[in-house]
Amino acid sequence: MKTALSPLGIPTLLALVLALASGTPFLRADSLVETWKVAPGARTYLGTGNTERGATLNPVNGNVLLLSRVGTPSVYVLNGKTGDDGSAASGAPRRLLATDANGDAIISGGTFVLNVVGAASDGAVFAANLAGNVTTGPLRIYRWAGDQPDAPVELAYSGNPLESIANPGTANDLRLGDTIAVRGSGAQTELLLGARSGRYLVLFQTVDGKAFTPKVLATDVTGRIGLGLTFGEGYTAWAKLNGQPLTHLQLDLANGKASTVRTLPTTIVPANVTGIGYDPASKRIAAVNYTAHTLSVFDLADPANPIAVGSPLTFPAANANGNGTAAAAIRGEAVLGLDTNNGLLAAKIEKAIVVDPPVIVGQPSGATVYASANRSEEHTSELQSRQHLVCRLLLEKK
């Protein structure tokens, strides 16, 4: 009695070769990989005193912009690839000027004179103070033309953007400067700030890229957003508050409203995410969880089915972040997170590897063996030769 062997003699290898021959690629999901991090206390401007709440990426050169209130409140400039702040070369970290073109110090006023920072597509840098009550002290927004240390600062806005509202509310309804989102360039630059209570979003627009005018949008999410804010596509925004779901809002400038489009389940984007940053080009959002002290990225190409990109990365410390403040940014493959009191974390997205299948250039011949024969001895060379064929095909594609 004779028994026919399968073409490769080993079912597992046969399945592999059939998959290769059918055109099935090898896939590896995109991953999130740490590039560098700075622990609190490692630098004088990065501590555990709730003094760092704003950070972003410069779209032009990839630099990290960190707003710190240690000592003189300043915007510090770090190399996005290495985290280097220039101290080794000059003896002092790079930071933006606090004086205007006339040499006058114009940064002043507010609960905190500087609190959050953002960057436009042309590299212009914007920072806002924290105005605990805009009816008694102005919201002030500052602009630098770039992140060069010698770029003078300009005042882009100062005032009460809620002054046209008869009864604007109380307490956190009147608090602005916990969040800032920036997009566009030149005369198309737009800034978006939110009230701490989530009752209002304020869109700032410009005709010259320097002076900005506010447009107040009343929301339907009071108490559900207020610590995380980023532009989406078109006139939409993503917003977040600790304990609440990530919310997608439609901005209706004509009617002065910001209305909920959807919310994402907290089983996907955790409830205690606060700092967020969205990249419309890749349709991905970076998110900082201030209690787990992690940085994550989610793919929102299908907002109804968000997908986590890789695994969350851990910040260099896990100190209490009682204010729940954080910041995140994503530009292409570059990702940045700031967890207040727990340092900076920079990462990159490594793209999935897709390998085209190898082509089988010669089909192995079949073989037969008598049922009474010793298969392990009689056909060792036959099986080995076929295993070698599969290995060669795989190696040729590496």
Side-chain angles (χ1 to χ4, degrees):
M1 176 179 172
K2 294 190 290 185
T3 302
L5 292 176
S6 64
L8 281 176
I10 300 176
T12 301
L13 293 177
L14 173 61
L16 177 59
V17 171
L18 289 177
L20 293 174
S22 68
T24 301
F26 289 101
L27 299 176
R28 189 187 76 188
D30 289 357
S31 57
L32 186 62
V33 179
E34 178 187 310
T35 54
W36 55 267
K37 57 187 176 184
V38 182
R43 297 180 183 175
T44 57
Y45 51 84
L46 198 60
T48 57
N50 298 303
T51 50
E52 292 78 53
R53 304 184 183 188
T56 194
L57 292 168
N58 186 329
V60 173
N61 53 27
N63 283 341
V64 170
L65 304 169
L66 170 68
L67 202 153
S68 173
R69 292 185 287 105
V70 175
T72 301
S74 301
V75 177
Y76 291 84
V77 183
L78 285 62
N79 183 293
K81 294 182 178 179
T82 65
D84 172 64
D85 65 359
S87 295
S90 64
R94 289 183 296 267
R95 59 181 178 178
L96 302 186
L97 282 179
T99 54
D100 64 12
N102 297 320
D104 296 326
I106 65 170
I107 298 177
S108 63
T111 305
F112 302 142
V113 296
L114 290 175
N115 194 48
V116 288
V117 63
S121 299
D122 56 5
V125 179
F126 294 86
N129 71 346
L130 177 62
N133 185 331
V134 294
T135 65
T136 59
L139 172 72
R140 290 170 68 87
I141 302 174
Y142 304 93
R143 175 187 180 275
W144 293 263
D147 64 15
Q148 301 79 16
D150 59 349
V153 64
E154 303 170 326
L155 185 62
Y157 175 82
S158 180
N160 173 14
L162 306 180
E163 64 183 354
S164 62
I165 300 174
N167 297 297
T170 60
N172 284 337
D173 297 334
L174 308 175
R175 172 170 163 156
L176 288 167
D178 286 293
T179 57
I180 188 171
V182 183
R183 72 174 179 187
S185 62
Q188 283 71 50
T189 303
E190 293 180 313
L191 318 175
L192 188 65
L193 282 76
R196 178 64 177 81
S197 68
R199 182 173 178 176
Y200 305 107
L201 295 182
V202 184
L203 180 71
F204 290 84
Q205 296 178 310
T206 180
V207 295
D208 61 2
K210 295 182 178 182
F212 286 76
T213 302
K215 174 70 176 179
V216 179
L217 308 173
T219 79
D220 61 359
V221 286
T222 300
R224 292 194 283 126
I225 65 171
L227 281 178
L229 184 64
T230 182
F231 278 110
E233 288 93 350
Y235 280 101
T236 68
W238 293 93
K240 194 71 174 66
L241 182 66
N242 49 311
Q244 299 295 324
L246 180 63
T247 301
H248 196 194
L249 297 164
Q250 180 69 51
L251 310 183
D252 182 351
L253 277 60
N255 295 305
K257 295 181 179 179
S259 305
T260 301
V261 176
R262 61 174 61 82
T263 58
L264 302 189
T266 55
T267 52
I268 303 295
V269 181
N272 284 331
V273 161
T274 50
I276 55 175
Y278 183 70
D279 179 19
S282 64
K283 300 185 186 301
R284 286 173 167 167
I285 195 166
V288 173
N289 185 325
Y290 81 98
T291 57
H293 308 298
T294 55
L295 172 65
S296 300
V297 172
F298 299 91
D299 191 322
L300 301 184
D302 179 3
N305 296 287
I307 301 171
V309 177
S311 300
L313 300 177
T314 304
F315 278 86
N319 297 311
N321 181 352
N323 293 305
T325 52
I330 178 170
R331 304 282 185 183
E333 297 179 1
V335 186
L336 176 71
L338 167 69
D339 179 10
T340 300
N341 302 334
N342 294 291
L344 279 171
L345 175 57
K348 64 179 180 179
I349 296 172
E350 286 196 346
K351 297 294 185 180
I353 294 175
V354 180
V355 181
D356 293 333
V359 177
I360 298 177
V361 295
Q363 295 295 330
S365 59
T368 59
V369 62
Y370 285 95
S372 60
N374 185 328
R375 291 176 134 182
S376 62
E377 295 178 359
E378 191 169 322
H379 293 281
T380 295
S381 61
E382 176 73 16
L383 295 176
Q384 286 179 338
S385 65
R386 294 177 180 184
Q387 292 170 6
H388 292 161
L389 171 62
V390 173
C391 291
R392 179 174 62 81
L393 293 172
L394 294 175
L395 288 172
E396 286 177 353
K397 298 308 294 180
K398 287 188 176 180

